[in-house]
Amino acid sequence: MIHNFEKFFDDNSEMRRVLSKGKFTTMALSDGNDPYILTLSYGLDALENILYFHTSRTGTKIDFLKSNSYVCGTVILDHGYQGGYPHYQSIVYKGLIEVIHNKEEKLRAMESLFHQLEEDSANRIERIIEDPASLDNILIMKLIIDEMTEKENPG
């Protein structure tokens, strides 16, 4: 007997809640028929449906994004096993990635990243505010989510 209690959601607030609890996303890129997948930490701007990323300025992912900046990714929250079955929530999103050049937007992005990834992000944010030139050496990208679905298996 197959146990399947998967639920699919269309509620953006529930999807944003799942995204707000995650820390890492796996993202699929493509260049023609050539696929590439990577895992990145992210920060969420829930009001704007934007994911922020910081990364190196060179590498395979940058080459792929120059060819095709439309990506698909997933975030999974693993809640362990309940009653012998896995309990998880997953988000699949799609959207365009673009590089941020504006310093104010870069600062907002870094605030989102630190808030997402660290319990006490105030010190890290304060250091960037005190030294805004430090943002010059960081490549920050944003993904504006234009499509998103959620699935939950409640265990």
Side-chain angles (χ1 to χ4, degrees), residues 38 40 53-58 61-62 65 113 137-141:
L38 67 148
L40 296 165
F53 312 94
H54 65 90
T55 185
S56 63
R57 294 184 179 277
T58 61
K61 68 182 157 292
I62 301 301
L65 289 170
L113 280 155
N137 299 323
I138 301 171
L139 179 65
I140 301 174
M141 299 182 294

Side-chain angles (χ1 to χ4, degrees), residues 62-84:
I62 301 301
D63 295 339
F64 270 70
L65 289 170
K66 285 178 183 175
S67 172
N68 181 3
S69 60
Y70 195 75
V71 302
C72 179
T74 188
V75 172
I76 299 169
L77 296 183
D78 180 357
H79 302 294
Y81 276 74
Q82 296 181 5

Side-chain angles (χ1 to χ4, degrees), residues 70-138:
Y70 195 75
V71 302
C72 179
T74 188
V75 172
I76 299 169
L77 296 183
D78 180 357
H79 302 294
Y81 276 74
Q82 296 181 5
Y85 298 98
H87 178 203
Y88 64 87
Q89 293 171 286
S90 65
I91 299 290
V92 173
Y93 61 83
K94 295 179 183 179
L96 283 172
I97 290 221
E98 60 185 62
V99 173
I100 299 172
H101 299 285
N102 177 284
K103 267 195 179 175
E104 289 176 13
E105 190 174 7
K106 279 182 151 185
L107 179 58
R108 279 195 315 273
M110 291 305 290
E111 288 175 342
S112 291
L113 280 155
F114 290 143
H115 179 72
Q116 187 93 20
L117 299 171
E118 299 186 15
E119 301 240 350
D120 182 18
S121 60
N123 289 336
R124 304 267 268 156
I125 293 168
E126 192 62 38
R127 277 189 259 151
I128 289 178
I129 291 171
E130 290 172 1
D131 182 19
S134 65
L135 292 172
D136 294 339
N137 299 323
I138 301 171

